[in-house]
Amino acid sequence: AAPNLAAGSLYIEDVFLAIKSTHNNHWSRIQLLLETWVPMAKTSVYILTDGDDPSLAANFGNGSRYVNTKCGASHKDKDLMCKLQVMYDLYMSKIEQYKWFCSVDDDTYINIPNFVKMLREYDHDKDWYIGKPSLNHIYSVKEYQLCDLFLLVSLKHMSCFRNGEFIKRGEAINNPDDTAIGYVCNYLLGVPLTSIPEMHSHLEPMWQIDPLDYHKQISISWGEVVASKVIVIPNRLSIRDEIPQFPVSVDPTRAYTFHCHLFPKSDSCRKIQDK
Ligand code: UDP
Ligand code: MN
């Protein structure tokens, strides 16, 4: 990366960090994020979801950072694109306040200190598209796929995607939200993806991350690997015995264990232990 003269002056408060969710996931997924990394991101985190949920909204700036997008709740491209459009329009309305735009799914753990340190390497006055591709081959626009990643853009030149333009692009390429961002950045703006090895989507095998390297990672995730019609394998960190851990029964994603491994003395970790 180009040396950033303003390096060191970037804080999490400079990042617009939006979590995309849906009401069905509030209890099953967002709760876990609130108990772990979200408090470390202070007032930067917005939740973009569907439906109202006053008790959850209270955790996001008394509702000020909770957004009922009124989009459809499904996993279909159209509904995901709708959420991205609302997210993007919200960011544009606050552009004076932020240096970076970041979109993340609700099944991702972010190591906030590492994340900020990484961002300090990049000059936010230039355009960047930062994340991790899920595929390791060149794709045509039709099969363009960057599933589940984490996306960051310094978006000075993207005001042209207001007023539903993102949705139109997404529809035009028949793809979901993350792919549409990839298309817009790569093809329309000519900003290639800067791939960060320490970011991980759950399309990667999580068990391959070396426990000795846990502290270096910027994001991890979890999910399932469908090996065949009848075999579904959980995709999660494989925690070594030497690392203090919560049993899989209470920590199936391994996010609690990962969080307490990184931040053993934090209040959040103590609360998890006391549960
Ligand atoms: N999602 C949604 N509606 C759904 C299912 C998922 O809005 O019916 C959102 C979910 O909150 C998450 C993203 O879409 O942020 C990806 O969902 P998931 O992790 O379940 O599936 P994946 O695309 O990773 O297979
Ligand atoms: Mn997912």
Side-chain angles (χ1 to χ4, degrees), residues 37-60:
W37 67 267
V38 166
M40 299 181 78
K42 302 191 182 149
T43 59
S44 284
V45 186
Y46 291 75
I47 178 165
L48 280 95
T49 185
D50 41 66
D52 291 322
D53 185 342
S55 69
L56 181 68
N59 292 291
F60 292 87

Tab-separated table of all heavy atoms in Angstrom, residues 37-60:
chain	number	residue	atom	x	y	z
A	37	TRP	N	-17.692	-8.472	19.535
A	37	TRP	CA	-16.923	-7.365	18.955
A	37	TRP	C	-17.662	-6.045	18.783
A	37	TRP	O	-17.020	-4.983	18.770
A	37	TRP	CB	-16.314	-7.774	17.610
A	37	TRP	CG	-17.291	-8.019	16.492
A	37	TRP	CD1	-17.847	-9.210	16.134
A	37	TRP	CD2	-17.819	-7.045	15.582
A	37	TRP	NE1	-18.690	-9.043	15.051
A	37	TRP	CE2	-18.689	-7.718	14.695
A	37	TRP	CE3	-17.650	-5.663	15.423
A	37	TRP	CZ2	-19.380	-7.074	13.670
A	37	TRP	CZ3	-18.343	-5.011	14.397
A	37	TRP	CH2	-19.197	-5.714	13.539
A	38	VAL	N	-18.989	-6.074	18.664
A	38	VAL	CA	-19.710	-4.827	18.347
A	38	VAL	C	-19.429	-3.700	19.356
A	38	VAL	O	-19.180	-2.559	18.946
A	38	VAL	CB	-21.224	-5.083	18.144
A	38	VAL	CG1	-22.018	-3.778	18.157
A	38	VAL	CG2	-21.461	-5.818	16.816
A	39	PRO	N	-19.413	-3.983	20.672
A	39	PRO	CA	-19.118	-2.883	21.607
A	39	PRO	C	-17.745	-2.251	21.383
A	39	PRO	O	-17.543	-1.073	21.675
A	39	PRO	CB	-19.183	-3.562	22.981
A	39	PRO	CG	-20.041	-4.767	22.774
A	39	PRO	CD	-19.759	-5.232	21.378
A	40	MET	N	-16.793	-3.018	20.834
A	40	MET	CA	-15.460	-2.474	20.596
A	40	MET	C	-15.451	-1.497	19.420
A	40	MET	O	-14.522	-0.704	19.270
A	40	MET	CB	-14.460	-3.616	20.331
A	40	MET	CG	-14.355	-4.550	21.527
A	40	MET	SD	-13.174	-5.870	21.262
A	40	MET	CE	-11.646	-5.005	21.529
A	41	ALA	N	-16.485	-1.576	18.601
A	41	ALA	CA	-16.580	-0.669	17.449
A	41	ALA	C	-17.369	0.591	17.789
A	41	ALA	O	-17.663	1.420	16.923
A	41	ALA	CB	-17.207	-1.385	16.263
A	42	LYS	N	-17.708	0.714	19.050
A	42	LYS	CA	-18.348	1.917	19.580
A	42	LYS	C	-19.549	2.366	18.746
A	42	LYS	O	-20.425	1.581	18.484
A	42	LYS	CB	-17.298	3.024	19.699
A	42	LYS	CG	-16.159	2.568	20.591
A	42	LYS	CD	-15.248	3.699	20.957
A	42	LYS	CE	-14.116	3.161	21.799
A	42	LYS	NZ	-12.890	3.881	21.645
A	43	THR	N	-19.540	3.639	18.355
A	43	THR	CA	-20.729	4.173	17.686
A	43	THR	C	-20.666	4.048	16.166
A	43	THR	O	-21.444	4.674	15.458
A	43	THR	CB	-20.907	5.663	18.050
A	43	THR	OG1	-19.719	6.346	17.635
A	43	THR	CG2	-21.112	5.841	19.527
A	44	SER	N	-19.749	3.221	15.685
A	44	SER	CA	-19.605	3.096	14.230
A	44	SER	C	-20.569	2.118	13.591
A	44	SER	O	-20.748	2.123	12.386
A	44	SER	CB	-18.182	2.626	13.896
A	44	SER	OG	-17.301	3.687	14.032
A	45	VAL	N	-21.151	1.254	14.416
A	45	VAL	CA	-21.901	0.138	13.844
A	45	VAL	C	-23.379	0.462	13.631
A	45	VAL	O	-24.083	0.875	14.550
A	45	VAL	CB	-21.800	-1.115	14.735
A	45	VAL	CG1	-22.458	-2.311	14.055
A	45	VAL	CG2	-20.348	-1.427	15.036
A	46	TYR	N	-23.822	0.225	12.414
A	46	TYR	CA	-25.225	0.346	12.040
A	46	TYR	C	-25.734	-1.053	11.747
A	46	TYR	O	-24.987	-1.903	11.262
A	46	TYR	CB	-25.373	1.176	10.763
A	46	TYR	CG	-25.042	2.636	10.953
A	46	TYR	CD1	-23.725	3.057	11.078
A	46	TYR	CD2	-26.050	3.596	11.002
A	46	TYR	CE1	-23.419	4.401	11.251
A	46	TYR	CE2	-25.748	4.939	11.171
A	46	TYR	CZ	-24.433	5.340	11.296
A	46	TYR	OH	-24.140	6.663	11.471
A	47	ILE	N	-26.999	-1.298	12.034
A	47	ILE	CA	-27.591	-2.554	11.609
A	47	ILE	C	-28.671	-2.253	10.588
A	47	ILE	O	-29.527	-1.402	10.812
A	47	ILE	CB	-28.111	-3.388	12.798
A	47	ILE	CG1	-28.766	-4.664	12.288
A	47	ILE	CG2	-29.059	-2.616	13.695
A	47	ILE	CD1	-28.996	-5.714	13.352
A	48	LEU	N	-28.565	-2.919	9.435
A	48	LEU	CA	-29.570	-2.757	8.385
A	48	LEU	C	-30.314	-4.055	8.239
A	48	LEU	O	-29.760	-5.071	7.841
A	48	LEU	CB	-28.923	-2.320	7.071
A	48	LEU	CG	-28.654	-0.816	7.127
A	48	LEU	CD1	-27.259	-0.525	7.574
A	48	LEU	CD2	-29.004	-0.157	5.830
A	49	THR	N	-31.585	-4.005	8.603
A	49	THR	CA	-32.355	-5.227	8.659
A	49	THR	C	-33.756	-4.981	8.121
A	49	THR	O	-34.008	-3.943	7.480
A	49	THR	CB	-32.349	-5.754	10.120
A	49	THR	OG1	-33.005	-7.005	10.168
A	49	THR	CG2	-32.984	-4.771	11.094
A	50	ASP	N	-34.648	-5.954	8.341
A	50	ASP	CA	-36.038	-5.779	7.935
A	50	ASP	C	-36.891	-5.964	9.186
A	50	ASP	O	-36.557	-6.778	10.031
A	50	ASP	CB	-36.394	-6.795	6.839
A	50	ASP	CG	-35.791	-8.169	7.124
A	50	ASP	OD1	-36.209	-8.802	8.113
A	50	ASP	OD2	-34.887	-8.597	6.380
A	51	GLY	N	-37.923	-5.220	9.320
A	51	GLY	CA	-38.797	-5.335	10.485
A	51	GLY	C	-38.316	-4.505	11.659
A	51	GLY	O	-37.180	-4.045	11.689
A	52	ASP	N	-39.234	-4.307	12.612
A	52	ASP	CA	-38.918	-3.525	13.808
A	52	ASP	C	-38.579	-4.459	14.952
A	52	ASP	O	-39.108	-5.564	15.039
A	52	ASP	CB	-40.115	-2.638	14.181
A	52	ASP	CG	-40.319	-1.538	13.147
A	52	ASP	OD1	-39.307	-1.004	12.654
A	52	ASP	OD2	-41.486	-1.249	12.811
A	53	ASP	N	-37.698	-4.007	15.818
A	53	ASP	CA	-37.273	-4.804	16.967
A	53	ASP	C	-36.740	-3.824	18.010
A	53	ASP	O	-35.536	-3.621	18.123
A	53	ASP	CB	-36.197	-5.803	16.514
A	53	ASP	CG	-35.779	-6.769	17.627
A	53	ASP	OD1	-36.042	-6.472	18.813
A	53	ASP	OD2	-35.181	-7.808	17.288
A	54	PRO	N	-37.679	-3.192	18.769
A	54	PRO	CA	-37.265	-2.122	19.684
A	54	PRO	C	-36.192	-2.545	20.676
A	54	PRO	O	-35.283	-1.760	20.973
A	54	PRO	CB	-38.563	-1.750	20.410
A	54	PRO	CG	-39.652	-2.197	19.500
A	54	PRO	CD	-39.129	-3.398	18.756
A	55	SER	N	-36.248	-3.774	21.178
A	55	SER	CA	-35.263	-4.144	22.197
A	55	SER	C	-33.878	-4.292	21.575
A	55	SER	O	-32.865	-3.962	22.188
A	55	SER	CB	-35.690	-5.408	22.942
A	55	SER	OG	-35.632	-6.522	22.101
A	56	LEU	N	-33.791	-4.761	20.339
A	56	LEU	CA	-32.504	-4.822	19.662
A	56	LEU	C	-32.050	-3.416	19.273
A	56	LEU	O	-30.887	-3.042	19.452
A	56	LEU	CB	-32.579	-5.714	18.414
A	56	LEU	CG	-31.255	-5.850	17.670
A	56	LEU	CD1	-30.242	-6.630	18.482
A	56	LEU	CD2	-31.452	-6.513	16.303
A	57	ALA	N	-32.978	-2.638	18.770
A	57	ALA	CA	-32.650	-1.276	18.315
A	57	ALA	C	-32.004	-0.462	19.425
A	57	ALA	O	-31.106	0.345	19.182
A	57	ALA	CB	-33.914	-0.578	17.802
A	58	ALA	N	-32.427	-0.730	20.678
A	58	ALA	CA	-31.898	0.016	21.826
A	58	ALA	C	-30.382	-0.121	21.923
A	58	ALA	O	-29.700	0.767	22.432
A	58	ALA	CB	-32.555	-0.489	23.107
A	59	ASN	N	-29.835	-1.229	21.410
A	59	ASN	CA	-28.384	-1.454	21.459
A	59	ASN	C	-27.613	-0.675	20.398
A	59	ASN	O	-26.382	-0.684	20.397
A	59	ASN	CB	-28.083	-2.938	21.248
A	59	ASN	CG	-28.550	-3.778	22.405
A	59	ASN	OD1	-27.992	-3.699	23.491
A	59	ASN	ND2	-29.597	-4.556	22.188
A	60	PHE	N	-28.321	-0.105	19.474
A	60	PHE	CA	-27.648	0.633	18.392
A	60	PHE	C	-28.021	2.108	18.508
A	60	PHE	O	-28.895	2.608	17.808
A	60	PHE	CB	-28.029	0.048	17.028
A	60	PHE	CG	-27.490	-1.340	16.808
A	60	PHE	CD1	-28.204	-2.458	17.229
A	60	PHE	CD2	-26.241	-1.527	16.220
A	60	PHE	CE1	-27.685	-3.738	17.052
A	60	PHE	CE2	-25.717	-2.803	16.048
A	60	PHE	CZ	-26.436	-3.910	16.459
